[in-house]
Amino acid sequence: AQSVTQLGSHVSVSEGALVLLRCNYSSSVPPYLFWYVQYPNQGLQLLLKYTSAATLVKGINGFEAEFKKSETSFHLTKPSAHMSDAAEYFCAVSEGPGEGNKLVFGAGTILRVKS
Amino acid sequence: NAGVTQTPKFRILKIGQSMTLQCTQDMNHNYMYWYRQDPGMGLKLIYYSVGAGITDKGEVPNGYNVSRSTTEDFPLRLELAAPSQTSVYFCASSSGHLYEQYFGPGTRLTVT
């Protein structure tokens, strides 16, 4: 079965600093990978997705993620943090076809941005 | 388009009461999902549906039931509420294309 591990339940950065949120996955099939963001008291919004087209994926709000098969990783980065980036971020992997297109989510990382 | 809508936004239940969480999507998606979110635990799949009339259990189905009589609606039923069901519940839908899911705003449920 697929699984996702997000390293660090809380990450704190200064405004303008690099954001790095870590995600490692396990999958028995070529994975489809996702990063979602959740702002306080809201639902989840898709940031970006990897669907095997390109290993470096660009998303909304200046975020990007790189798929590294050898490391089974899909880390999320942003060169310069903004106060509005404070939120909880979830990495997810698809269960693949024939499994109801289900997603398996990591436990989440709360990003705090200090002024 | 409204996307995925959920009602109610908040609810307080007493132990043993029952209720239905409503979920509707207007994107004509075949796939729909119910998750619960607890602090530090991520999202856990309760039930899902691959089309009208077809439902299946997810990771944490105990204490819940679902039905899918139409493409648009996917209600979640709690029959005998327990404190362990205090959580935030999210409904999501997907066309199946590239597995992306679209989420509703959530229902915050407290059982006391």
Side-chain angles (χ1 to χ4, degrees):
Chain A
Q2 279 74 1
S3 67
V4 174
T5 302
Q6 291 184 239
L7 295 175
S9 58
H10 292 77
V11 170
S12 184
V13 301
S14 298
E15 192 174 20
L18 172 71
V19 175
L20 172 59
L21 304 182
R22 299 178 187 274
C23 172
N24 288 90
Y25 69 93
S26 68
S27 176
S28 57
V29 299
Y32 281 29
L33 294 157
F34 303 81
W35 275 100
Y36 282 85
V37 61
Q38 184 182 31
Y39 299 104
N41 301 313
Q42 295 187 25
L44 277 69
Q45 178 183 358
L46 183 69
L47 264 182
L48 50 80
K49 59 190 175 189
Y50 167 74
T51 59
S52 76
T55 56
L56 183 62
V57 181
K58 294 188 184 299
I60 62 172
N61 301 337
F63 284 93
E64 62 182 34
E66 185 172 9
F67 171 69
K68 292 187 176 180
K69 184 177 180 180
S70 61
E71 299 177 8
T72 61
S73 69
F74 190 56
H75 301 332
L76 182 70
T77 61
K78 181 174 181 178
S80 176
H82 192 272
M83 296 297 288
S84 60
D85 295 326
E88 188 163 16
Y89 293 79
F90 294 94
C91 183
V93 63
S94 70
E95 288 271 25
E99 294 289 341
N101 294 341
K102 293 182 289 184
L103 295 180
V104 175
F105 285 85
T109 298
I110 295 173
L111 176 65
R112 178 185 171 217
V113 182
K114 300 175 291 184
S115 59
Chain B
N1 286 349
V4 180
T5 57
Q6 293 182 239
T7 57
K9 285 185 171 26
F10 305 93
R11 184 72 185 267
I12 299 174
L13 281 183
K14 295 189 185 303
I15 295 171
Q17 287 185 322
S18 62
M19 76 164 293
T20 299
L21 282 67
Q22 301 292 345
C23 175
T24 299
Q25 54 93 8
D26 63 0
M27 296 174 282
N28 201 33
H29 286 170
N30 283 328
Y31 300 86
M32 294 188 74
Y33 311 85
W34 273 107
Y35 296 91
R36 59 176 290 169
Q37 182 183 24
D38 301 297
M41 303 294 289
L43 278 76
K44 303 293 185 186
L45 183 65
I46 305 171
Y47 271 95
Y48 68 100
S49 169
V50 300
I54 306 170
T55 63
D56 206 349
K57 296 178 181 178
E59 186 180 356
V60 291
N62 291 345
Y64 308 94
N65 276 300
V66 293
S67 60
R68 183 96 182 271
S69 57
T70 67
T71 299
E72 295 78 18
D73 300 307
F74 190 41
L76 177 71
R77 179 83 176 164
L78 283 70
E79 291 294 349
L80 290 171
S84 60
Q85 293 177 306
T86 293
S87 188
V88 182
Y89 292 85
F90 288 101
C91 179
S93 72
S94 171
S95 67
H97 178 60
L98 301 180
Y99 310 109
E100 178 179 343
Q101 294 184 13
Y102 296 82
F103 284 79
T107 294
R108 185 175 297 273
L109 176 67
T110 302
V111 182
T112 62

